[in-house]
Amino acid sequence: MPQAFTDDSFETDVLKSDIPVFVDFWAPWCGPCQQMGPLVEELEGEYEEGKVKIGKVNVDENQVTAGKYNVMSIPSFLLFKGGEVVDTVVGGVQKEKLKEMIDKHTA
């Protein structure tokens, strides 16, 4: 199960992480978010520990973080490396697209 990141934990869990962090910005009422959820869980199982951290931010409960990264549409997938956003994908996409995004920055 992907880790839940919050406004309070985001800096420690994501920005200060020494490995890339894939973040799924979502909300419980968002249909496409619900469709992408299982794919994000599958992704987590496909990478060895220590290669990438995968987690989710509920935008309803963590509006500060969502606002800071200008998340206007959900689902939004942001990849952080060294505390910076290095890649973004917005909307429902194929799992392969998300894998490409991660692989490009973890190779």
Side-chain angles (χ1 to χ4, degrees), residues 1-2 22 24 31-47 54-56 75 77 89 91-99 102:
M1 193 69 182
F22 175 88
D24 173 7
C33 298
Q34 300 302 327
Q35 292 174 322
M36 294 301 295
L39 299 182
V40 172
E41 287 183 32
E42 286 175 25
L43 273 180
E44 187 179 41
E46 292 179 16
Y47 288 94
I54 294 179
K56 299 168 80 81
F77 306 97
V89 171
V93 295
Q94 300 285 327
K95 184 171 83 171
E96 286 69 35
K97 176 98 170 136
L98 299 179
K99 280 184 67 80
I102 294 170

Side-chain angles (χ1 to χ4, degrees), residues 5-19:
F5 301 132
T6 64
D7 286 344
D8 292 336
S9 74
F10 200 81
E11 183 173 351
T12 302
D13 290 341
V14 178
L15 301 182
K16 292 185 175 172
S17 174
D18 51 3
I19 59 173

Side-chain angles (χ1 to χ4, degrees), residues 44-76:
E44 187 179 41
E46 292 179 16
Y47 288 94
E48 59 191 66
E49 197 169 323
K51 184 160 187 170
V52 64
K53 188 187 298 186
I54 294 179
K56 299 168 80 81
V57 172
N58 181 326
V59 298
D60 287 344
E61 297 173 357
N62 301 284
Q63 295 177 357
V64 171
T65 301
K68 182 175 180 184
Y69 294 99
N70 298 315
V71 175
M72 301 295 178
S73 300
I74 52 175
S76 281

